[in-house]
Amino acid sequence: MSPLIQITNLKKAYGIFTVLHGINLDIAEGEVVCVIGPSGSGKSTLIRCINRLEAFSSDSSIVVDGVTVGPGKALAKVRAEVGMVFQSFNLFPHLTVLKNVMLAPMRVRGTKPADAERKARELLARVGISEQAEKYPGKLSGGQQQRVAIARALAMEPKVMLFDEPTSSLDPEMVGEVLDVMKKLAGTGVTMVVVTHEMGFARQVADRVIFMDGGRIIEQGTPSEIFDNPKEERTRGFLRAVLNH
Amino acid sequence: MTLEIGITSIIAGLIGGLFLALIRLYGSGPVPFVAKIYIDVFRSIPLLVLLIVVYYALPFVGIRFSPFVSAVVALTLVSSAYTAEIFRAGIEAIPHGQFEASQALGLSGRHMMIDVILPQAIKIVIPPLTNNCINVLKDTALASVVAMPDLLKQATQAQALSANPTPLIGAALIYVALLWPLVSIVARLEKRFGGEKRS
């Protein structure tokens, strides 16, 4: 079976500064991949290229579920199949929580309002915030907002969920509630690509852990291969720095 | 007459301004540059000059407007340039994450604007927009130079007849009476939209 996401020779540069040096990466359907690495290693840029929030070099190729990610018509199709959760939530502040979740299915998929609402309430229950459905995002805590953002992305029934440091801007006591939702989600067989600094989460939930540094994949493997027995010196150095403090 | 010219120009200016702002920000090829030139030119030309050009100069090239249309055309040309800058500032004040979240959900450019960006941008620009509307209403006084029977013109004529300034003072008071409520509405809107925090 061909992989759900196929990334070939992914290159990206800002002016003379190269962020990604030709990344090759295949992700299978149902796989949970965690990407770790120091700040500026290109891990966020990597997943932002998958739905082309970042443009990339024209000799690179990304294929998601058989559709090539490039400028033009096909991009909308890819984006509808790829959900994304941001570090800064990016909920729509002028819409209620419920409307935030309903908007994209209605506009992109043409779902009827009644169906969209039923689906939205179901998802909000799944992430544990049914009672907040009629409130505006600004009234919610960070952890609640991020859970709404996850529900909003799931409402499109995406084939892939991308998480760009979903817990990095949360207060420590709220990290757990968001990770719990993500763990439950991983258990349902959704393909997930998670950029994270939560090593505990990566170890527990990931099928595969990728360590990036300097715009390259340095090492990848199962959580125990990476965390218990890293082969590369840079991986060891990074893990020492984040795990022993 | 003052109100008719003012309201027509305000509505046309709002529509034109929004259109200009959108093509300036998102047009392709030379379109944004052309929009920018338009906006800059009509923001720098004095309204009185434009009014005289439209009414007295255009007939030489075969374009002849009635006084009413001349006044509306001149006011709209200028007002849409200002309105465009107000809308642009509003759209640019929306955090980049709102655009990214819309795109990541697969919303088309049109839906992103209509459902996500403009509702937030318009809230931000209501106070400056209302200010602009007041300016347009005030500027209708200039229409008197193109022989429009606007308030000021009528007052000047009445003064010539009665040989005292009472009609002029009366006209001034009517302008204030028309515009005072609007000015206080702006103040209230600024309080309402400025103080509200939804992060």
Side-chain angles (χ1 to χ4, degrees), chain B residues 35-91:
Chain B
K36 182 183 180 317
I37 299 276
Y38 173 95
I39 291 167
D40 289 353
V41 165
F42 283 97
R43 285 201 308 158
S44 38
I45 193 165
L47 181 60
L48 185 56
V49 174
L50 183 64
L51 206 53
I52 289 169
V53 167
V54 169
Y55 189 65
Y56 293 104
L58 285 187
F60 284 100
V61 292
I63 305 170
R64 191 176 299 275
F65 293 131
S66 72
F68 177 82
V69 174
S70 301
V72 168
V73 165
L75 278 166
T76 302
L77 286 173
V78 170
S79 150
S80 56
Y82 279 100
T83 312
E85 284 300 271
I86 294 173
F87 275 122
R88 185 172 70 96
I91 291 169

Side-chain angles (χ1 to χ4, degrees), chain B residues 86 120-135 182-183 185-195:
Chain B
I86 294 173
Q120 298 182 60
I122 286 170
K123 221 170 247 180
I124 299 173
V125 300
I126 280 179
L129 269 187
T130 322
N131 263 326
N132 189 55
C133 293
I134 292 172
N135 282 333
L182 284 173
V183 173
I185 286 171
V186 176
R188 211 175 310 158
L189 286 173
E190 269 167 357
K191 218 190 251 167
R192 187 160 153 220
F193 291 112

